[in-house]
C-alpha cells in the first residue's frame, strides 16, 4: 500500500462516516486529501495522520471522538493491521507486512513516474534565476542559483506545473558602458579603467574582437563596437557555461527591449493614470508604502532618466501579459529590498501581489586545505562556475549547492567533494544507486529474476525501514515544491541511501553458494530495484547523474 493509496482510503472513510451520520462535519471543512506522515518513532506505527485534530473545531467535538469514529472504519481497510489513537487524537496506523511491502512493486512498476503528481497542473510559472550581468563569468552566487533554480523547475514540473526558465539579460545601464571601456582599454594595451573590469577574460574577449576585426581601433567610435561585440561574446560564454552545467533556459529576455519598444513609457503613463505615481522634488515616485513597502520608490529620477525599478515593474507587467500565473524571482543576498518592492509594484498596477515571489540566496564560500578560496584563475576577482566545476565536476557542484537551504550561507569544502568516500554526500548517494545496479547484475548472473513478488516476505527490520523512507519520497517532493526547497530532495536521498546500505549489509538478494533461489530472493530484487528507481528519480530532479558503476 502506497501513502497515496492510504491517504485516499482515509479520505473515503471520513466521507463515509459523515454520510452515515457518525460524524457531523461541514462540507466545506472536509479535505479533498488527508495527509499521512511517518511517525518520528517507528514504534508508533507505519503512518500517522492528524486529521481528527484538524476537524475538531469545524465539527465542534473533541478530536478523540472523531479519531474513534475513524479508527473503526480504518481497521476495516484491507492491509491495515491496527489503528491506535495517541495523545489528543493522532491516528497511528500499522499496516500488515504484505500491505507495507507492496510499495516496492508499485515503485518498480511506476518507474520514472513514482513521486510525480498533478497537484500544480494548470499553473504557469515564470522562474527567473541566475540573470548574471553580461560583464563577466558567473560567480558562485549565480552558480548556486543555477543549481537550485534548475532543480526547483524540475520539481515544479514533477508536480504538473508548466514552467518557463527565464534569464534576464541585463544589457541596459552603466555596467555595460564600463565593460566596453574595459575591453577597449585592454585592446589598446592600457590598464582597466578605475571603475572597470579586470581579469584574463577581459583580455581574451578583447583579443577575440581585434582578431576578428583587425582595423577596429582605427574606427570612429571603437567603444561602441567593443560594447556590442563584447556583450555578445561574453553572453555566449555564459550560455555555454550554463549548458555544460546542465542548465538551459527557455527564454533569454533582454532588459534593453523594455526601453526600446516603449514598454517602460507606457507603464509610467498607466501608473500616472492610476494615481499611484506622484511628483515630488522634480522626480516621479511610486506610492509603494500604500501597498506594504517600507518606503516610496523613485521611478523617474529628477534628471528625467528611469530608475532601475521602472524596468523591474515593466518586466513584471510583461510576464503577466505573457500569461504567467506566478512570477518567481531568484535573487542574490543583496536584494532583500526587492521582496516588498516588487509585490508593492504589482499591487500598484492593480494586480495580485501574490503573483510575485522573491527568493533570496545567500553567500557561498569555498574552502580548500582549510583555507578560503577567494581568487579565480580567469576572472581574477571572484571564484566562478568554471573554477568550481574544474575542481569537483558538475555532479558534485550541483548536488552540493542544492543540498542546503538557499537562505543560509554555506561553506563548500573542496577536499570533501573530491573524495570517493561516504564523507562526500554526492558520492554516498550515487554509490548507493550504483550498488543497486551491481546487485541487479549479480542477481541476473545467479538466475534471480523478478518473476515472483511476495510482499509478506519483506519482514526484516531493515526492510521495514527501507520501505518507510521510500514511501516518504512523494511527500518530500510535494514539500520541496510547496516550500521552494530542493534541498529537501537531496537530504532525503541521503536518508534512503543510508537505509539501503544497512539493508544491503543484512539481506541478500542472491543466495550464498549452493543455496536454492527462493521467492524471498526474488522479492528482495524488487525492493533493490525500487531503491535504484527512487534514487535515479531524485537525482534527475537535482540534475545529477545516476551512474551504473562507480
Amino acid at each position: 500500500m502506497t501513502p497515496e493509496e492510504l491517504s485516499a482510503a482515509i479520505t473515503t472513510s471520513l466521507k463515509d462516516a459523515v454520510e452515515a451520520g457518525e460524524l457531523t462535519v461541514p462540507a466545506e471543512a472536509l479535505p479533498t486529501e488527508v495527509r499521512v506522515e511517518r511517525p518520528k518513532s517507528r514504534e508508533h506505527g507505519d503512518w500517522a495522520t492528524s486529521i481528527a485534530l484538524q476537524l475538531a473545531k469545524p465539527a465542534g467535538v473533541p478530536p478523540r471522538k472523531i479519531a474513534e469514529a475513524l479508527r473503526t472504519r480504518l481497521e476495516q481497510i484491507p492491509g491495515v493491521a491496527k489503528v491506535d489513537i495517541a495523545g489528543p487524537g493522532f491516528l497511528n496506523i500499522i499496516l500488515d507486512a504484505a500491505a507495507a511491502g507492496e510499495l516496492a512493486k508499485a515503485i518498480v512498476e511506476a518507474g520514472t513516474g513514482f513521486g510525480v503528481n498533478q497537484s500544480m497542473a494548470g499553473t504557469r510559472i515564470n522562474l527567473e534565476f541566475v540573470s548574471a550581468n553580461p560583464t563577466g563569468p558567473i560567480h558562485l552566487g549565480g552558480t548556486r542559483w543555477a543549481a537550485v533554480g534548475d532543480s526547483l523547475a524540475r520539481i515544479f514540473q514533477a508536480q504538473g506545473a508548466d514552467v518557463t526558465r527565464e534569464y534576464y539579460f541585463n544589457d541596459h545601464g552603466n555596467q555595460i558602458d564600463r565593460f566596453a571601456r574595459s575591453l577597449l582599454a585592454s585592446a589598446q594595451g592600457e590598464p582597466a579603467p578605475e571603475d572597470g573590469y579586470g581579469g584574463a577574460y577581459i583580455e581574451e574577449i578583447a583579443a577575440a574582437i581585434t582578431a576578428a576585426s583587425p582595423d577596429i581601433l582605427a574606427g570612429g567610435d571603437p567603444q561602441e563596437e567593443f560594447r556590442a561585440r563584447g556583450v555578445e561574446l561574453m553572453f555566449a560564454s555564459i550560455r555555454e557555461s550554463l549548458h555544460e552545467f546542465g542548465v538551459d533556459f527557455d527564454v533569454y529576455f533582454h532588459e534593453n527591449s523594455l526601453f526600446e519598444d516603449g514598454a517602460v513609457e507606457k507603464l509610467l503613463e498607466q501608473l500616472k493614470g492610476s494615481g499611484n505615481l506622484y511628483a515630488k522634488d522634480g522626480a516621479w515616485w511610486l506610492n509603494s508604502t500604500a501597498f506594504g513597502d517600507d518606503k516610496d520608490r523613485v521611478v523617474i529620477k529628477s534628471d528625467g532618466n528611469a530608475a532601475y525599478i521602472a524596468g523591474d515593474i515593466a518586466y513584471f507587467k510583461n510576464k503577466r501579459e505573457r500569461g504567467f500565473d506566478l512570477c518567481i524571482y531568484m535573487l542574490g543576498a543583496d536584494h532583500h529590498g526587492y521582496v516588498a518592492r516588487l509585490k508593492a509594484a504589482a499591487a500598484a498596477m492593480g494586480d495580485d501581489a501574490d503573483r510575485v515571489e522573491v527568493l533570496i540566496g545567500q553567500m557561498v564560500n569555498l574552502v580548500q586545505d582549510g583555507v578560503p578560496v577567494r581568487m579565480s584563475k580567469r576572472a581574477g576577482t571572484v571564484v566562478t562556475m568554471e573554477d568550481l566545476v574544474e575542481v569537483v565536476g558538475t555532479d558534485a557542484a550541483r548536488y552540493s549547492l542544492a543540498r542546503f537551504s538557499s537562505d543560509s550561507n554555506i561553506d563548500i569544502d573542496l577536499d570533501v567533494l573530491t573524495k570517493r568516500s561516504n564523507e562526500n554526500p554526492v558520492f554516498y548517494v550515487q554509490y548507493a544507486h550504483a550498488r543497486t545496479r551491481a546487485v541487479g547484475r549479480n542477481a541476473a548472473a545467479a538466475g534471480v529474476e523478478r518473476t515472483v513478488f511476495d510482499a509478506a516476505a519483506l519482514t526484516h527490520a531493515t526492510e521495514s525501514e527501507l520501505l518507510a523512507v521510500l514511501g516518504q519520497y512523494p511527500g518530500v517532493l510535494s514539500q520541496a515544491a510547496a516550500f521552494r526547497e530542493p534541498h529537501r530532495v537531496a537530504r532525503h536521498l541521503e536518508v534512503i541511501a543510508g537505509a539501503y546500505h544497512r539493508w544491503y549489509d543484512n539481506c541478500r538478494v542472491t543466495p550464498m553458494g549452493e543455496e536454492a533461489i527462493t521467492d524471498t530472493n526474488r522479492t528482495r530484487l524488487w525492493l533493490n530495484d525500487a531503491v535504484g528507481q527512487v534514487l535515479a528519480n531524485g537525482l534527475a530532479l537535482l540534475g545529477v547523474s545516476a551512474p551504473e558503476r562507480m
Side-chain angles (χ1 to χ4, degrees), residues 155 469 471-481 485 488-490 492-493:
I155 291 170
V469 295
Q472 288 176 294
Y473 176 76
V476 169
L477 293 195
S478 295
Q479 291 173 1
E485 295 179 340
R488 291 173 179 261
V489 176
H492 191 64
L493 294 182

Side-chain angles (χ1 to χ4, degrees), residues 155-230:
I155 291 170
F156 283 152
Q157 290 170 326
Q159 306 297 296
D162 180 359
V163 182
T164 293
R165 295 166 174 82
E166 186 148 317
Y167 189 111
Y168 189 50
F169 187 34
N170 301 98
D171 55 351
H172 181 87
N174 293 330
Q175 79 275 6
I176 301 297
D177 294 331
R178 296 198 301 272
F179 179 62
R181 291 199 302 272
S182 301
L183 292 173
L184 178 58
S186 177
Q188 294 173 331
E190 299 174 357
E194 187 175 339
D195 62 348
Y197 300 92
Y201 77 96
I202 290 291
E203 298 174 6
E204 293 168 4
I205 294 175
I209 294 173
T210 53
S213 302
D215 299 329
I216 190 171
L217 294 176
D221 189 2
Q223 183 171 312
E224 283 305 306
E225 287 292 316
F226 276 96
R227 175 191 176 102
R229 299 187 189 184

Side-chain angles (χ1 to χ4, degrees), residues 74-94:
L74 294 180
E75 288 182 336
Q76 299 173 14
I77 297 174
V80 174
K82 184 181 178 182
V83 179
D84 291 328
I85 300 175
F90 291 100
L91 286 162
N92 292 329
I93 303 166
I94 301 171

Side-chain angles (χ1 to χ4, degrees), residues 432-462:
H433 178 269
R435 176 174 266 184
T436 67
R437 295 300 183 250
V439 168
R441 290 191 296 271
N442 292 337
V448 179
E449 299 177 338
R450 294 199 313 251
T451 52
V452 173
F453 181 80
D454 179 10
L458 301 175
T459 57
H460 194 276
T462 59

Side-chain angles (χ1 to χ4, degrees), residues 127-152:
L127 185 62
E128 183 210 326
F129 58 105
V130 183
S131 297
N133 287 337
T135 55
I138 300 174
H139 56 67
L140 282 184
T143 306
R144 183 180 196 177
W145 271 147
V148 174
D150 187 60
S151 297
L152 186 56

